[in-house]
Amino acid sequence: MSSKKVKTLPRIEYISRAVDVAMDNAWFEVNQTGHFWMKWRFRVFWNHFGKRLKSTDTLLEIGCGNARFRQQVEARGLTVDGCDLNEQGLKMAEDGRGKLFLYDIHDLDKRLTGKYDVVMLMDVLEHIEDDVSFLRSAAAHVKHNGYLVINVPANPKLFSAYDRAQGHYRRYKKHDLDALISGAGLRSVEVFYWGLILVPVLWVRKWLLGKGGHADTRRGFESPSRMMNAAFSFFMRIETSLLPRTFTGTSVMAVVQNSAPE
């Protein structure tokens, strides 16, 4: 048997120093790609933006954590780099085609700024106190006329002890996200809600936690059974097929272009 060594690159490239972030690390244990919400978010992303993507595009996921979303995108034959400041999350990521960076985007490393056709921020901005500055730094990594795709939790009235446990500063209305995008000097292509069917579920979660329930990521996110996960996956297929636009939802997604608003 050959003992030839295979040369590999370092799994994580350290560009910045690791720091504490407003994130419950338990999230990395429960956000499996088979979870109905993870499948739902990716399906919404792909339905609205997948047709724009080419195999030659350069993609970066900012705040990738353990890179589950990157894993879903790369399963479609694309290559996605990922960056985060949470070292524990990055160490839990599975190997992929793209690189992983421990990187503070405010450092504006010249090797990465202006490099990417698409930057993705999947449920990141709600963890950032100064979301405008963060979005501007994220946009600095996008080519001119390239795209950012943003997802954030929606409906401030649904903010609960679960959000606080997760390290969320806020939930967004659609016009809040649109104003944030304009304030960062970017142009919204489309901004839309999704997860209408989940709104009653989050009201129940908020009520239960308000009644003294213990707020933690595992209890607030994990599906109670395979049957429930399958049921919500079924609801996901109905909503994404029949209701591509909803008047409200539990999340709001935006497709954004890195060009000055008209």
Side-chain angles (χ1 to χ4, degrees), residues 21-40:
V21 296
M23 180 72 196
D24 183 1
N25 285 336
W27 168 253
F28 304 131
E29 301 172 10
V30 298
N31 68 339
Q32 302 301 312
T33 56
H35 188 285
F36 73 86
W37 187 86
M38 298 292 289
K39 293 191 291 185
W40 202 323

Side-chain angles (χ1 to χ4, degrees), residues 157-198:
K157 291 182 179 179
L158 291 173
F159 194 93
S160 70
Y162 173 77
D163 291 278
R164 288 189 289 274
Q166 275 278 70
H168 293 176
Y169 284 96
R170 67 193 73 81
R171 301 180 74 92
Y172 294 78
K173 294 180 181 178
K174 188 168 72 169
H175 68 77
D176 295 331
L177 184 56
D178 210 5
L180 170 63
I181 291 163
S182 296
L186 305 169
R187 183 176 71 84
S188 299
V189 176
E190 58 176 336
V191 182
F192 55 93
Y193 289 112
W194 64 270
L196 173 65
I197 297 171
L198 295 174

Side-chain angles (χ1 to χ4, degrees), residues 14-154:
Y14 289 78
I15 298 175
S16 307
R17 296 176 60 185
V19 299
D20 292 332
V21 296
M23 180 72 196
D24 183 1
N25 285 336
W27 168 253
F28 304 131
E29 301 172 10
V30 298
N31 68 339
Q32 302 301 312
T33 56
H35 188 285
F36 73 86
W37 187 86
M38 298 292 289
K39 293 191 291 185
W40 202 323
R41 183 180 66 174
F42 177 73
R43 183 164 176 150
V44 171
F45 164 82
W46 195 259
N47 285 351
H48 286 268
F49 193 72
K51 62 183 178 295
R52 296 179 185 268
L53 291 170
K54 305 184 295 293
S55 61
T56 55
D57 282 341
T58 51
L59 286 77
L60 173 68
E61 184 189 359
I62 292 175
C64 67
N66 60 348
R68 292 289 187 243
F69 182 75
R70 179 184 82 149
Q71 187 178 338
Q72 291 175 302
V73 177
E74 287 199 338
R76 297 297 182 108
L78 298 160
T79 299
V80 183
D81 292 343
C83 72
D84 207 299
L85 280 172
N86 190 315
E87 187 175 24
Q88 180 177 335
L90 290 171
K91 286 181 176 179
M92 296 174 67
E94 295 186 9
D95 291 335
R97 296 186 185 88
K99 298 178 180 180
L100 288 177
F101 307 110
L102 196 151
Y103 174 51
D104 183 341
I105 63 170
H106 294 307
D107 289 347
L108 301 176
D109 189 281
K110 292 181 180 179
R111 293 167 292 178
L112 301 179
T113 52
K115 174 181 177 179
Y116 292 96
D117 296 296
V118 181
V119 162
M120 299 165 291
L121 293 157
M122 294 289 113
D123 295 273
V124 175
L125 290 175
E126 67 273 18
H127 295 273
I128 309 299
E129 189 169 9
D130 186 354
D131 52 357
V132 177
S133 294
F134 192 87
L135 185 54
R136 286 175 181 152
S137 291
H141 295 77
V142 185
K143 296 176 181 177
H144 181 65
N145 286 332
Y147 290 93
L148 297 95
V149 184
I150 301 166
N151 194 74
V152 290

